Amino acid sequence: MSIQSQLDQMVSEASPLIAGCASLVELEDIRLQFLGKKGALTEILKGLATIDAAERPAIGMAANQAKTALSTLLDDKKSELETASLAAEMVKNAIDVTLPGVGTPLGHRHPISQTIDEISQILGRLGFAVEEGPEIESDYYNFEALNIPDDHPARDSHDTFYMMSGHVLRTHTSPVQVHVMEREKPPIRIIVPGRVYRRDADASHSPAFHQIEGLLVDEKVTFAELKGTLDYFLKALFGAKQSVRFRPSYFPFTEPSCEVDVACVLCQAKGCAVCKHTGWLEILGAGMVNRNVFRKVGYDPDQVTGFAFGVGVERIAMLKLGIPSIKLLTDNDLRFLKQF
Amino acid sequence: MKVSFNWLKELVNVPVGPAELAERLSTSGTEVESVQPVGQDITGVVTARIESIERHPDADRLVVTQIFDGTDTHQVVTGATNVFVGAIVPLSKVGASLAGGFKIKESKLRGVPSNGMLCSETEVGVAAESNGIWILPPDTPLGLNFSEYAQLSDTILEIGILPNRGDCQSMIGVAREVAAIFKLPLKMPDIKFSDSNSKSEWTIRCEEPEFCPKYTGRGMTNVKVGPSPIWMQRRLQSGGVRPINNMVDISNYVMLECGQPMHIFDASFFEAKTVGIRFATEGEKMVTLDGVERRLPAGTGVITDGTKAVAIAGVMGGETSGVSDKTTAVLIEAAYFHPSKIRSAMRQTTLRSESSVRFEKGIDFKAIEWASDRAAGLVEALGGGQVTGARVAFVNEQHSAAQAKKIAFSAAQINGLLGSEFSEAQIADALKLLGFSVENGHAIVPTWRLLDIQEWPDLAEEVARIVGLDQIVTRLPLPNGLMPEPSPVRKLQTQLSKRLVTAGFCEIRSLPMISPEDAARCGQTPGAETTMQNAFAPEESIMAASHLPRLLNTLAYNLNRQQHDIRLFETGQVFGAQSGEIQETVELAGLIEGRETPSDYTEGLQSPQVYRYLTLKSTLESVLAPYKLTFSAGNSPQLHPIQQQQLTIGSAVIGVMGQLNPKLAGQYDVPATSLYFAINLNVLATVSVETPKFAPFSKFPSTRRDIAILAPKSLPFSDILTVIHQHKSPAVTDVFLFDFYESEKLGADKRSLAVGLVYQDLEKSLTDDDVNKPQEKLVAKLTELLPVTIR
């Protein structure tokens, strides 16, 4: 048999063996059988000595081709078997990835804190910086300096808690206005988030709740900027399509004063129990700073004007998050807190 | 204040319905709290006279009446006790429809047929409550359609009175607003009566011209006291006032109509025909018309009969000096009392009346005479009285309330404050609609607005609310310069809160008021600065000095509601005082209970890991990074005497952490394994943080050596660590505990601690000698200095 025929026979003999091989060990045996040092190819090439020198290159080339062909088949099969074995291993060792996650779940900030953060961020875009102040106040800062002298009927709406020492628990965040204006010269642009206290607790009131006060004092500030600021604020808070309405009102520390309503966010202004069938929700009080307040802090009311506003944080949180009772906000039931 | 739409229409020709009126009032500054239809859809009720009353044969509490409606007689059984033969009452006949859609049918009450029902004010829908059957005036014709006759159908607008708008506490006051909004004339009621020019027999002696700058009195005689006509009763009802008799009703009516509180005295009570006004003396007493003997606070204004007090001026009349059925002569009082004096009288006596709430907000000094005349006219018309002499008055013309008020303003000022572009004419027109006179850059304030209108910005408000706030443009303020940073405390509060949330904590916000018991348990000794005078209850009377009591209560609350594996924190002000100065500190505190990984199924994967001290330690280290937190021995009585530490940064003590003192845990019924921490953010904010500087790390390999130490349990690990740090080679870059165990084999008082040390040099690879020699020296030092053996 010619060497060429032997080579052809080797390839045709090896090919089905490789194709039918099922393991890497077996495959290595096949490789050694045909291409190993003592394998079929080596045996065939021993016959080369008997061949004419002139024919040797052609036969050598044929031998190389046969070797390459077998090597390719072996490599392909090896890679195929490796892939399959890896896949089998992965299946064998796989965990159930559909089990729930394990670990400490994220905690929750209180809805009031979240609301204060949101409001502070919105007003921060307009340049309002956060200020804070004491919760136990003197009568002067809580009332007198804000143009609410003793025996003023407006004190009725501020059911006040008094301390044994004669101090008051602040009934609004407005005293911080006075502290800041006493300390700094205009322009002033601040917001004051904080806890305030009123002595009226029923289903819809809590003896302590949160307000955010805003104050802007500068030259030539007008009611138009007050409207602009609150319109922007309420639209950023409740959505760009939110209707906002300004109603004249009274606060001793502002003149003119107004209350601001938004179209009821619960019934889309159609009228419901929450908006008392008016389609409007009262959301904040505001006004141009009363000249008497400026006088108290030593500002010249002919030189500067300003506006102030106050918003109840609980009310905003309840409206935005659909919280039906203010009590939920002070009970700190985890089943409540974990919802937000 | 309740405003009857029917009554309002007589004072101003309201061009819109009640709902639209409410809207217009609200947007111009008069808040309408509700719009309530009353007395509507009442049919089948007629006026009828009770002809006889007999006892019900089978019921003690019922009577059988025969009642005549001008045509027919009906038998009606009633349980009412105020009926009498001859009384004219509203009778709802069979088929009648009453308030709330209630239908009258033929019926039998305890076996006796009853054809209809006698009505009270409540049943016909005009009052929330009533005192028995509505007894109508004796001259009421019989058989009238009562709904039409009594004008039952009306709409009541409930108006919220702003503290500065005392002038709106009357029908005329509200009508003035309505007239201004719709640019319509106000129709003032006519006053008709036979006045007298003869000198009054009455004398007014006012000793307090500042408190009472005006007091008018008018005597009338031949008065017949009886029920008021139905129209007046209806108006009083619509204003929420119960009709009593014509004299009392007239004083209330005039007050509701024009806002001037009136008082009608029985003249016979004033033997000397002298009325005095003075302040109550120390210990003076008087019986008010509610029958209560009251000690009058010294300095309270009183009306006297020349000597003794007969009324608390402006607040409440006396029991004996009021009008009774036997009264034949009266004195009509109309006066001005100082608002803040009335207010303090109200506060001191805790009495509040329709009169006092009007005086305290200031009444129209110039309209007192009108009110007095109006009352005289009504007494003549309804009570047959005759004036006994000219109206007598004390007037202090020097009083501030008597002075006309002129306010300088310019359109530029008003537009400058409002950001509007109103013309001078627009501004003047708006002011004139509200009763101001405008001339040469001045506005003269209407007499009913003197207390409210102080400066030109008040005029700006008046203009804005009448022209409409929607007529002012909406414009953002110009950007200002640099925005200051939040305070360091606030920054910490926000940052640390967010990190605690990441570590699984839930933030609570609880009421800062705690009970004296809470305070005592948690180590607070509250002083006057932190104790409330007028708390709702002792349970909420102390301003808390730490978040601990609230956290404990909240933990217990949630445990009681089957919550578990709880991590809570709270941040905010806590309260204390030092030498009389209130100190408010911002504290961040937390309380944890239960397992670290709350998912129940993980029990199958790993043993449930109970929260332990050490995990909280590392949590706090992470939360407080980049501060380098260290721990030292703690001494808080609220915590476990051994399992607690102070949190320190450098030399600053910033807080505390530890297991609850078991006694405290027991008091709050929370597990004694619960852990607490508190950080004083005011102190933390004073600790500076250095910006990190790059430190080079080695290119050469590191070498590790371990030491297994057998130590007594009583030896704190920190002692071992201290020795290692003192005697280790400079080439050691890291020291760490990697194994810890206790077992019976080791001995009950022993434990094994394995510490790893990492050796590494910046410049070269370390040889075995470089590492082994210092390691051996260190091991020798450990056994020399500490009661340990190396295993």
Side-chain angles (χ1 to χ4, degrees):
Chain A
M1 202 191 283
S2 73
I3 289 180
Q4 180 66 53
S5 308
Q6 289 177 43
L7 286 171
D8 289 348
Q9 195 186 341
M10 178 189 81
V11 170
S12 54
E13 200 179 308
S15 298
L17 285 176
I18 295 169
C21 170
S23 79
L24 286 166
V25 177
E26 202 184 321
L27 192 67
E28 181 61 11
D29 287 346
I30 294 170
R31 192 187 68 80
L32 291 173
Q33 183 188 341
F34 291 98
L35 301 181
K37 276 182 186 163
K38 294 172 182 167
L41 184 62
T42 314
E43 280 304 311
I44 292 169
L45 291 181
K46 279 181 183 163
L48 215 58
T50 64
I51 301 286
D52 271 2
E55 284 177 37
R56 279 188 195 165
I59 295 295
M61 197 182 283
N64 263 336
Q65 275 173 359
K67 185 182 179 185
T68 309
L70 281 189
S71 294
T72 308
L73 285 175
L74 284 165
D75 285 353
D76 287 355
K77 188 65 186 182
K78 188 181 181 195
S79 136
E80 184 193 317
L81 287 173
E82 278 174 350
T83 306
S85 132
L86 197 59
E89 185 128 338
M90 286 190 290
V91 168
K92 202 177 114 198
N93 296 336
I95 61 156
D96 181 359
V97 294
T98 66
L99 286 171
V102 174
T104 308
L106 198 63
H108 301 263
R109 289 198 83 199
H110 194 280
I112 290 298
S113 302
Q114 295 186 33
T115 308
I116 288 175
D117 281 358
E118 185 181 0
I119 293 174
S120 305
Q121 274 162 22
I122 294 169
L123 290 165
R125 282 179 235 146
L126 292 177
F128 286 86
V130 172
E131 281 283 350
E132 286 169 299
E135 292 178 19
I136 303 179
E137 267 293 359
S138 66
D139 187 272
Y140 178 81
Y141 284 104
N142 197 71
F143 293 120
E144 290 280 333
L146 290 161
N147 201 33
I148 315 174
D150 204 14
D151 281 333
H152 193 287
R155 288 206 180 193
D156 281 352
S157 59
H158 292 243
D159 291 325
T160 310
F161 284 116
Y162 289 91
M163 309 306 292
M164 290 297 189
S165 58
H167 288 83
V168 301
L169 289 180
R170 68 177 177 190
T171 58
H172 46 185
T173 41
S174 310
V176 183
Q177 284 187 17
V178 181
H179 289 296
V180 171
M181 286 194 282
E182 281 182 347
R183 198 179 65 211
E184 284 167 32
K185 293 270 156 270
I188 304 271
R189 202 179 284 215
I190 56 162
I191 48 171
V192 185
R195 191 180 258 132
V196 301
Y197 302 82
R198 300 267 172 107
R199 205 178 177 281
D200 52 355
D202 55 43
S204 61
H205 292 93
S206 162
F209 55 98
H210 297 80
Q211 271 188 351
I212 294 187
E213 180 93 359
L215 175 71
L216 188 152
V217 181
D218 206 340
E219 289 171 9
K220 298 191 170 62
V221 179
T222 75
F223 198 86
E225 282 82 30
L226 166 61
K227 280 183 76 179
T229 300
L230 296 181
D231 188 69
Y232 170 78
F233 164 56
L234 292 170
K235 284 181 170 146
L237 196 60
F238 290 113
K241 288 187 184 140
Q242 183 63 50
S243 307
V244 176
R245 174 174 90 163
F246 293 80
R247 271 186 299 110
S249 189
Y250 172 79
F251 304 105
F253 33 91
T254 51
E255 187 71 42
S257 304
C258 63
E259 277 178 339
V260 187
D261 299 339
V262 293
C264 182
V265 295
L266 300 174
C267 63
Q268 274 71 46
K270 287 187 191 78
C272 65
V274 175
C275 65
K276 292 185 197 150
H277 302 281
T278 61
W280 293 98
L281 291 170
E282 185 187 318
I283 230 66
L284 50 77
M288 302 304 293
V289 178
N290 192 300
R291 289 156 66 87
N292 286 337
V293 176
F294 284 148
R295 290 183 184 112
K296 290 271 187 195
V297 298
Y299 286 7
D300 180 351
D302 291 324
Q303 295 300 311
V304 290
T305 52
F307 64 77
F309 56 90
V311 57
V313 182
E314 274 76 1
R315 180 141 170 91
I316 301 280
M318 288 167 79
L319 286 173
K320 281 196 69 116
L321 305 173
I323 299 167
S325 153
I326 196 164
K327 202 169 165 293
L328 287 165
L329 288 165
T330 51
D331 278 349
N332 295 302
D333 192 317
L334 285 163
R335 294 166 296 181
F336 170 78
L337 296 175
K338 286 179 175 174
Q339 294 182 25
F340 306 102
Chain B
M1 149 144 178
K2 291 178 161 54
V3 171
S4 150
F5 191 68
N6 288 348
W7 191 352
L8 190 66
K9 279 195 293 191
E10 287 197 8
L11 295 165
V12 60
N13 199 6
V14 188
V16 296
E20 196 182 337
L21 175 66
E23 173 81 13
R24 293 290 297 271
L25 281 168
S26 284
T27 50
S28 63
T30 308
E31 193 184 345
V32 179
E33 288 166 354
S34 68
V35 178
Q36 270 313 321
V38 295
Q40 296 187 346
D41 306 319
I42 306 285
T43 58
V45 183
V46 297
T47 53
R49 188 174 58 223
I50 297 175
E51 304 289 34
S52 70
I53 302 178
E54 278 160 28
R55 296 189 56 169
H56 189 289
D58 287 325
D60 290 346
R61 298 208 171 159
L62 296 177
V63 290
V64 182
T65 66
Q66 301 300 324
I67 180 158
F68 179 61
D69 66 8
T71 321
D72 301 313
T73 301
H74 309 265
Q75 173 169 295
V76 175
V77 180
T78 179
T81 53
N82 68 328
V83 290
F84 52 91
V85 172
I88 299 178
V89 300
L91 165 71
S92 48
K93 299 201 284 189
V94 170
S97 181
L98 299 181
F102 182 65
K103 295 260 193 286
I104 298 296
K105 296 186 205 116
E106 276 182 39
S107 66
K108 275 187 182 174
L109 273 83
R110 292 278 184 113
V112 177
S114 180
N115 300 316
M117 189 172 88
L118 312 186
C119 297
S120 73
E121 289 87 335
T122 317
E123 275 116 24
V124 291
V126 298
E129 48 191 55
S130 52
N131 264 349
I133 302 305
W134 190 352
I135 307 294
L136 303 174
D139 55 353
T140 307
L142 301 184
L144 295 177
N145 175 335
F146 186 67
S147 178
E148 280 173 22
Y149 175 67
Q151 283 201 18
L152 293 180
S153 170
D154 196 356
T155 302
I156 305 295
L157 282 70
E158 180 78 48
I159 289 184
I161 300 294
L162 296 170
N164 64 327
R165 292 305 304 274
D167 65 297
C168 286
Q169 282 179 293
S170 72
M171 292 303 301
I172 289 176
V174 173
R176 265 197 208 109
E177 280 291 315
V178 176
I181 295 167
F182 294 101
K183 301 187 170 65
L184 292 168
L186 175 70
K187 298 182 279 185
M188 287 291 278
D190 288 335
I191 298 176
K192 278 193 222 109
F193 69 105
S194 316
D195 204 354
S196 158
N197 289 326
S198 64
K199 190 178 175 315
S200 174
E201 56 196 328
W202 289 86
T203 313
I204 312 288
R205 244 181 23 226
C206 178
E207 295 171 27
E208 299 295 342
E210 181 57 28
F211 165 66
C212 173
K214 185 180 276 186
Y215 190 99
T216 70
R218 172 179 266 126
M220 294 187 77
T221 187
N222 293 333
V223 167
K224 281 189 201 67
V225 176
S228 302
I230 197 77
W231 64 265
M232 180 175 275
Q233 293 195 21
R234 284 289 301 117
R235 290 197 166 169
L236 293 175
Q237 284 163 353
S238 70
V241 174
R242 188 193 299 259
I244 294 169
N245 61 46
N246 52 4
M247 292 302 124
V248 174
D249 292 354
I250 287 167
S251 62
N252 285 328
Y253 182 85
V254 173
M255 176 182 70
L256 291 182
E257 184 178 66
C258 72
Q260 170 67 47
M262 307 291 294
H263 195 73
I264 300 186
F265 291 104
D266 184 328
S268 67
F269 193 76
F270 294 79
E271 279 169 22
K273 292 277 183 281
T274 297
V275 179
I277 302 104
R278 62 168 170 81
F279 287 151
T281 52
E282 196 65 52
E284 189 167 0
K285 286 179 186 168
M286 197 196 99
V287 181
T288 45
L289 56 77
D290 50 5
V292 179
E293 187 184 53
R294 296 174 190 276
R295 176 185 287 270
L296 302 170
T300 304
V302 291
I303 308 301
T304 69
D305 62 356
T307 48
K308 63 180 188 299
V310 298
I312 304 175
V315 179
M316 195 172 272
E319 187 181 38
T320 47
S321 60
V323 171
S324 71
D325 293 348
K326 299 179 193 77
T327 300
T328 55
V330 296
L331 173 74
I332 302 171
E333 168 197 289
Y336 184 103
F337 300 117
H338 198 284
S340 68
K341 270 286 183 187
I342 292 294
R343 209 178 136 70
S344 46
M346 285 165 74
R347 205 172 46 198
Q348 288 176 325
T349 60
T350 66
L351 286 173
R352 206 179 163 76
S353 64
E354 290 285 338
S355 293
S356 68
V357 301
R358 286 175 170 81
F359 281 123
E360 70 153 347
K361 292 194 176 75
I363 51 146
D364 185 351
F365 191 83
K366 300 288 184 193
I368 293 168
E369 291 80 3
W370 186 91
S372 173
D373 290 355
R374 174 70 171 148
L378 288 167
V379 170
E380 186 181 288
L382 310 182
Q386 287 142 22
V387 170
T388 59
R391 177 172 9 89
V392 61
F394 165 82
V395 185
N396 170 9
E397 290 291 358
Q398 306 310 310
H399 197 273
S400 59
Q403 310 312 312
K405 199 181 249 174
K406 210 171 162 183
I407 292 173
F409 77 98
S410 70
Q413 275 176 325
I414 287 178
N415 286 323
L417 186 64
L418 297 178
S420 53
E421 289 172 4
F422 300 147
S423 68
E424 279 185 25
Q426 233 178 332
I427 290 169
D429 285 350
L431 290 174
K432 282 176 192 163
L433 280 170
L434 289 164
F436 291 82
S437 351
V438 179
E439 53 184 30
N440 303 328
H442 287 84
I444 296 167
V445 180
T447 53
W448 56 89
R449 299 291 301 278
L450 287 180
L451 277 185
D452 172 24
I453 308 289
Q454 302 285 349
E455 289 198 74
W456 63 263
D458 300 284
L459 302 179
E461 175 172 85
E462 295 302 301
V463 173
R465 71 186 187 87
I466 288 302
V467 179
L469 291 180
D470 54 350
Q471 297 302 302
I472 297 174
V473 293
T474 297
R475 169 168 82 206
L476 280 177
L478 292 173
N480 60 350
L482 286 174
M483 193 172 146
E485 266 205 304
S487 73
V489 171
R490 184 167 183 83
K491 263 162 75 178
L492 281 171
Q493 221 178 344
T494 313
Q495 187 187 30
L496 301 188
S497 295
K498 285 180 178 166
R499 287 184 179 177
L500 282 169
V501 166
T502 310
F505 283 78
C506 283
E507 184 191 16
I508 65 162
R509 276 184 177 260
S510 50
L511 295 183
M513 304 91 129
I514 57 170
S515 69
E517 201 180 15
D518 280 328
R521 287 168 173 178
C522 295
Q524 181 181 0
T525 317
E529 295 81 4
T530 49
T531 306
M532 289 155 69
Q533 252 182 50
N534 58 341
F536 277 125
E539 289 74 44
E540 294 177 1
S541 64
I542 310 282
M543 296 302 283
S546 83
H547 297 312
L548 178 59
R550 276 102 38 92
L551 283 165
L552 286 165
N553 282 321
T554 306
L555 178 59
Y557 178 97
N558 279 292
L559 288 170
N560 285 338
R561 282 156 186 78
Q562 295 159 311
Q563 303 298 296
H564 45 76
D565 308 315
I566 297 171
R567 315 186 127 193
L568 303 174
F569 79 99
E570 172 145 28
T571 173
Q573 271 132 304
V574 293
F575 306 87
Q578 203 153 44
S579 44
E581 286 287 303
I582 295 159
Q583 292 191 323
E584 294 189 19
T585 312
V586 180
E587 187 185 69
L588 175 75
L591 188 60
I592 61 181
E593 176 281 333
R595 293 165 303 164
E596 185 165 18
T597 304
S599 317
D600 288 331
Y601 81 92
T602 60
E603 283 179 36
L605 304 180
Q606 60 178 68
S607 62
Q609 207 177 358
V610 175
Y611 274 121
R612 283 167 314 148
Y613 201 96
L614 304 179
T615 49
L616 177 60
K617 251 177 125 165
S618 80
T619 300
L620 292 179
E621 281 168 340
S622 308
V623 164
L624 285 163
Y627 291 108
K628 295 270 182 291
L629 190 60
T630 51
F631 301 85
S632 58
N635 56 6
S636 163
Q638 279 69 51
L639 298 179
H640 187 291
I642 299 157
Q643 273 149 246
Q644 65 161 306
Q645 279 170 308
Q646 275 186 343
L647 310 178
T648 54
I649 297 169
S651 59
V653 178
I654 60 140
V656 67
M657 69 164 282
Q659 194 168 316
L660 290 180
N661 189 306
K663 190 178 159 211
L664 184 70
Q667 285 166 331
Y668 284 90
D669 202 15
V670 300
T673 49
S674 308
L675 297 172
Y676 172 73
F677 70 88
I679 300 166
N680 181 324
L681 296 187
N682 293 81
V683 173
L684 184 60
T686 63
V687 181
S688 55
V689 185
E690 279 176 32
T691 311
K693 290 280 186 304
F694 173 72
F697 39 81
S698 176
K699 287 179 287 199
F700 300 95
S702 66
T703 306
R704 174 170 163 182
R705 292 288 183 276
D706 296 341
I707 313 173
I709 303 164
L710 188 63
K713 276 184 183 172
S714 58
L715 180 70
F717 178 67
S718 60
D719 286 8
I720 297 172
L721 206 55
T722 305
V723 172
I724 292 174
H725 278 294
Q726 276 169 358
H727 299 281
K728 70 181 176 6
S729 148
V732 171
T733 55
D734 196 10
V735 180
F736 52 93
L737 179 72
F738 71 91
D739 192 33
F740 171 100
Y741 82 94
E742 296 171 349
S743 78
E744 282 177 24
K745 252 171 85 183
L746 288 174
D749 57 343
K750 292 269 195 299
R751 60 187 186 185
S752 162
L753 300 154
V755 177
L757 289 89
V758 176
Y759 288 79
Q760 194 172 27
D761 192 282
L762 274 177
E763 306 296 334
K764 59 180 198 302
S765 290
L766 294 171
T767 64
D768 274 358
D769 268 4
D770 290 338
V771 174
N772 291 343
K773 281 184 179 163
Q775 181 76 5
E776 281 159 19
K777 261 174 73 183
L778 175 61
V779 168
K781 273 289 174 195
L782 279 171
T783 47
E784 177 195 331
L785 296 171
L786 297 171
V788 300
T789 52
I790 305 302
R791 304 173 75 215

